[in-house]
Structure formats: C-alpha cells, structure tokens
C-alpha cells in the first residue's frame, strides 16, 4: 500500500552567495595583528572585533588589555554604552 504524506511539498532553498570572511587578527602573531590602539591609554595591546548590532549597525568593538577600556565605534563615530544597549534591544 502506498504511503501518503499529509505535509505539503517543500520548495528547495535558494543558495546564498558566499561572503568572503574578513582577515582575522592575532594577539600572539605580530605579523597578523591589525594596527589598533586604545583610545584611552594608547596601548596597542587590544582585542578588536567587527560586529553588527541587533539593529544592523556595523561596529568595531575594542577592548584594551592594559587599562581595560572598552569602546564601540560605528561609521558615524564612537558610541556610548547606552547607545550600544539601545541598538541591541529586540523590539
């Protein structure tokens, strides 16, 4: 006896175009480190991460290993912690 499925036929998904990944930096390998500096103390011992906030704003997050300063910068300039929190809230 043939098996009959009650679920509708699924359409095949369209493949997304692959986006090239940005080069990754490194804290341990000098030749792969990006030249970023802390805005507070000037140290180059920072971790820098590119990310998109919940509202789609692309930002650079920088965390200093010397003075522990953390900052976010968008294309429009530096963002305060309150501005980052406002942009990351789900509505």
């Amino acid at each position: 006896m043939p098996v009959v499925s009650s679920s509708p036929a699924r359409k095949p998904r369209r493949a997304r175009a692959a986006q090239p990944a940005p080069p990754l930096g490194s804290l341990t390998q000098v030749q792969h480190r990006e030249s970023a500096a802390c805005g507070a103390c000037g140290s180059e011992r920072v971790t820098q991460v590119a990310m998109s906030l919940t509202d789609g704003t692309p930002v650079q997050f920088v965390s200093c290993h010397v003075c522990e300063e953390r900052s976010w910068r968008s294309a429009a300039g530096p963002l305060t912690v309150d501005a980052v929190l406002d942009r990351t809230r789900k509505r």
Side-chain angles (χ1 to χ4, degrees), residues 23-68:
L24 299 176
S26 174
L27 292 174
T28 59
Q29 298 176 347
V30 177
Q31 69 272 22
H32 295 290
R33 235 183 257 165
E34 291 187 23
S35 59
C38 174
C41 73
S43 171
E44 291 184 359
R45 293 209 49 211
V46 298
T47 298
Q48 181 172 306
V49 179
M51 61 178 72
S52 292
L53 301 179
T54 305
D55 71 350
T57 304
V59 297
Q60 289 284 76
F61 169 72
V62 179
S63 175
C64 180
H65 294 271
V66 175
C67 73
E68 299 185 5

Side-chain angles (χ1 to χ4, degrees), residues 77-89:
L79 295 171
T80 65
V81 173
D82 290 334
V84 171
L85 293 174
D86 284 343
R87 292 169 184 257
T88 56
R89 285 192 180 98

Side-chain angles (χ1 to χ4, degrees), residues 4-8:
V4 177
S5 173
S6 61
S7 63

Side-chain angles (χ1 to χ4, degrees), residues 7-13:
S7 63
R10 293 186 183 191
K11 294 180 182 178
R13 291 185 182 182

